[in-house]
Amino acid sequence: MFTTYILHSKLLDKFYIGYTGDDLQVRLVKHLANHKGFTAKAKDWTIVHTEIFTSKKEAMQREKQLKGWKNITRIKELIDRSSAE
């Protein structure tokens, strides 16, 4: 199983979109650890949206699609819809 996910940092008021084949909590710990990269800028990342796929290809395609939106309103609407379900 593969997961496409969206993280949010209240400190930065930013979203991060990614995918993983690892356990999502393990992946979150890596984002919160000391490292270089976009998520290193804050230590308050939380998972706000997830989607499960059976193949890596599907997860990667969805990640690319979400990143292509480049529209914060659209991303927030997706998160709100999934929270309501």
Side-chain angles (χ1 to χ4, degrees):
M1 292 297 203
F2 294 86
T3 306
T4 300
Y5 59 91
I6 302 175
L7 304 179
H8 181 256
S9 166
K10 286 184 181 181
L11 178 69
L12 301 175
D13 193 26
K14 298 278 184 188
F15 291 98
Y16 175 85
I17 300 167
Y19 81 93
T20 186
D22 295 333
D23 177 84
L24 192 53
Q25 292 303 319
V26 170
R27 185 67 184 110
L28 178 60
V29 168
K30 291 178 183 177
H31 281 296
L32 296 173
N34 290 329
H35 68 286
K36 293 182 180 178
F38 181 78
T39 59
K41 298 174 185 177
K43 299 294 181 219
D44 70 333
W45 295 101
T46 57
I47 301 166
V48 294
H49 180 75
T50 60
E51 295 177 19
I52 307 297
F53 298 93
T54 55
S55 75
K56 181 177 180 178
K57 182 179 178 181
E58 290 173 305
M60 288 174 66
Q61 287 174 334
R62 182 60 168 158
E63 176 197 32
K64 186 175 181 178
Q65 179 186 35
L66 294 175
K67 285 181 174 180
W69 285 359
K70 298 191 185 302
N71 184 324
I72 234 39
T73 303
R74 202 166 169 194
I75 291 171
K76 286 179 180 179
E77 288 172 355
L78 174 66
I79 294 165
D80 289 344
R81 276 195 317 270
S82 67
S83 297
E85 293 175 358

